[in-house]
Amino acid sequence: MATFLSKLGRLAFRRRGATLLLWLLIFGGMGFAASSAPPPPADTFSMPGAESQEAFDLLTEKFPDASADGASARVVVRAPEGQKITDPEQRAEVGRLVAELGRSSPQVVGAADPYRTPEVSISKDGTTAYTVVTYKVPAMEVGDKAHDALDAAIAKADKAGLTVEAGGDAVKIDQTMGGTGESRSASWSPRSSSS
């Protein structure tokens, strides 16, 4: 191989003009090929009349600030021992938490009120509820300030006596733990009953 490369180098040196012309032709051909290539395909796709497209269009119409690929955080709230999340005092605390989550960052579209859909957002025994915080941006673009605001709202509700856990792709990942996106685990389903 070394002998071949040595001979090739000597040939290129002896025929400098031809080698330079050959390289110029190669680069010129590559430039021409690149300029005459077709444009990239459009990255938008729609199928008018399909149910999924109608649902997507309805979501875009009703929630223009929300992004289809926007991040979300599921926040689970549990009342103190012996109390229910539907008690007036706890309801007020959850209301404050939801309001704070909804205005915590310019990247937040809003936070769902669990009392608007209690059949799916509050457990049968009435001790646990959850809300979803929706973001305008994808998970990788959620900023540190938005992460810190989510953590601060959760800490404030914890101090008020509620047990609050968060999960989802908008939650800050603790890199030292090597987690998968659940900084505070929340394994609750709306129909589960606690003991």
Side-chain angles (χ1 to χ4, degrees):
M1 184 70 170
T3 306
F4 170 73
L5 290 175
S6 175
K7 288 180 181 180
L8 182 64
R10 272 189 244 126
L11 177 68
F13 181 75
R14 279 188 308 228
R15 309 244 188 244
R16 293 185 279 276
T19 302
L20 178 64
L21 183 62
L22 177 65
W23 278 111
L24 290 174
L25 287 173
I26 289 173
F27 284 130
M30 287 175 38
F32 175 76
S35 68
S36 63
D43 62 353
T44 59
F45 181 77
S46 70
M47 292 179 57
E51 287 182 25
S52 60
Q53 184 64 46
E54 289 173 6
F56 184 76
D57 292 343
L58 182 63
L59 284 171
T60 304
E61 178 186 323
K62 297 290 184 186
F63 304 103
D65 288 338
S67 171
D69 60 347
S72 65
R74 292 175 305 282
V75 180
V76 179
V77 184
R78 185 170 175 87
E81 191 67 35
Q83 297 183 29
K84 296 199 177 282
I85 207 77
T86 53
D87 293 344
E89 183 182 318
Q90 304 312 318
R91 188 176 179 135
E93 285 299 327
V94 172
R96 278 192 278 279
L97 171 64
V98 170
E100 189 169 341
L101 290 171
R103 63 178 190 279
S104 63
S105 165
Q107 293 181 326
V108 173
V109 173
D113 183 356
Y115 299 106
R116 290 187 68 184
T117 55
E119 62 279 355
V120 295
S121 299
I122 298 177
S123 65
K124 284 183 183 178
D125 65 359
T127 61
T128 309
Y130 84 94
T131 182
V132 176
V133 183
T134 308
Y135 291 79
K136 296 176 187 177
V137 296
M140 296 303 290
E141 294 177 22
V142 175
D144 288 338
K145 287 183 181 180
H147 286 298
D148 293 342
L150 177 67
D151 291 342
I154 290 170
K156 189 174 181 180
D158 273 336
K159 286 181 184 174
L162 298 171
T163 302
V164 185
E165 306 290 337
D169 56 358
V171 175
K172 187 183 330 182
I173 299 172
D174 186 359
Q175 295 295 332
T176 59
M177 294 180 65
T180 60
E182 304 291 324
S183 75
R184 300 170 141 224
S185 65
S187 57
W188 170 79
S189 88
R191 294 289 138 212
S192 69
S193 157
S194 356
S195 40

mmCIF file of all heavy atoms in Angstrom, residues 2 16 47 49 59 72 79 141 190:
data_model
loop_
_atom_site.group_PDB
_atom_site.id
_atom_site.type_symbol
_atom_site.label_atom_id
_atom_site.label_comp_id
_atom_site.label_asym_id
_atom_site.label_seq_id
_atom_site.Cartn_x
_atom_site.Cartn_y
_atom_site.Cartn_z
ATOM 1 N N ALA A 2 1.951 1.234 0.773
ATOM 2 C CA ALA A 2 2.847 2.380 0.834
ATOM 3 C C ALA A 2 3.481 2.634 -0.523
ATOM 4 O O ALA A 2 3.655 3.803 -0.924
ATOM 5 C CB ALA A 2 3.918 2.157 1.893
ATOM 6 N N ARG A 16 1.143 18.056 -12.175
ATOM 7 C CA ARG A 16 0.446 19.010 -11.301
ATOM 8 C C ARG A 16 -0.753 19.658 -11.981
ATOM 9 O O ARG A 16 -1.809 19.787 -11.405
ATOM 10 C CB ARG A 16 1.393 20.117 -10.848
ATOM 11 C CG ARG A 16 2.482 19.694 -9.951
ATOM 12 C CD ARG A 16 3.268 20.926 -9.484
ATOM 13 N NE ARG A 16 4.259 21.433 -10.426
ATOM 14 C CZ ARG A 16 5.495 20.977 -10.548
ATOM 15 N NH1 ARG A 16 5.923 19.991 -9.801
ATOM 16 N NH2 ARG A 16 6.331 21.499 -11.405
ATOM 17 N N MET A 47 -54.118 14.834 6.502
ATOM 18 C CA MET A 47 -55.051 13.971 5.780
ATOM 19 C C MET A 47 -56.460 14.498 6.050
ATOM 20 O O MET A 47 -57.110 14.057 7.001
ATOM 21 C CB MET A 47 -54.925 12.525 6.245
ATOM 22 C CG MET A 47 -53.620 11.881 5.880
ATOM 23 S SD MET A 47 -53.475 10.180 6.452
ATOM 24 C CE MET A 47 -54.875 9.406 5.711
ATOM 25 N N GLY A 49 -60.190 15.044 6.551
ATOM 26 C CA GLY A 49 -61.272 14.077 6.684
ATOM 27 C C GLY A 49 -60.980 12.944 7.644
ATOM 28 O O GLY A 49 -61.895 12.293 8.130
ATOM 29 N N LEU A 59 -57.835 20.633 18.362
ATOM 30 C CA LEU A 59 -56.910 21.011 19.431
ATOM 31 C C LEU A 59 -56.159 22.294 19.080
ATOM 32 O O LEU A 59 -55.982 23.170 19.924
ATOM 33 C CB LEU A 59 -55.910 19.883 19.706
ATOM 34 C CG LEU A 59 -56.445 18.693 20.479
ATOM 35 C CD1 LEU A 59 -55.417 17.575 20.491
ATOM 36 C CD2 LEU A 59 -56.807 19.090 21.887
ATOM 37 N N SER A 72 -45.006 18.045 28.994
ATOM 38 C CA SER A 72 -46.040 18.078 30.027
ATOM 39 C C SER A 72 -45.471 17.514 31.323
ATOM 40 O O SER A 72 -44.539 16.720 31.312
ATOM 41 C CB SER A 72 -47.271 17.290 29.603
ATOM 42 O OG SER A 72 -46.955 15.919 29.474
ATOM 43 N N ALA A 79 -53.822 14.538 49.925
ATOM 44 C CA ALA A 79 -54.214 15.269 51.136
ATOM 45 C C ALA A 79 -53.496 14.678 52.347
ATOM 46 O O ALA A 79 -53.086 13.509 52.335
ATOM 47 C CB ALA A 79 -55.727 15.179 51.328
ATOM 48 N N GLU A 141 -36.514 21.663 25.273
ATOM 49 C CA GLU A 141 -36.396 23.117 25.261
ATOM 50 C C GLU A 141 -36.950 23.771 26.527
ATOM 51 O O GLU A 141 -36.935 24.995 26.636
ATOM 52 C CB GLU A 141 -37.106 23.680 24.029
ATOM 53 C CG GLU A 141 -36.442 23.269 22.728
ATOM 54 C CD GLU A 141 -37.200 23.770 21.507
ATOM 55 O OE1 GLU A 141 -37.968 24.744 21.616
ATOM 56 O OE2 GLU A 141 -37.022 23.159 20.441
ATOM 57 N N PRO A 190 -56.094 7.357 38.422
ATOM 58 C CA PRO A 190 -57.258 8.046 38.942
ATOM 59 C C PRO A 190 -58.267 7.106 39.610
ATOM 60 O O PRO A 190 -59.021 7.510 40.461
ATOM 61 C CB PRO A 190 -57.893 8.701 37.709
ATOM 62 C CG PRO A 190 -56.951 8.534 36.609
ATOM 63 C CD PRO A 190 -55.886 7.585 37.028
#
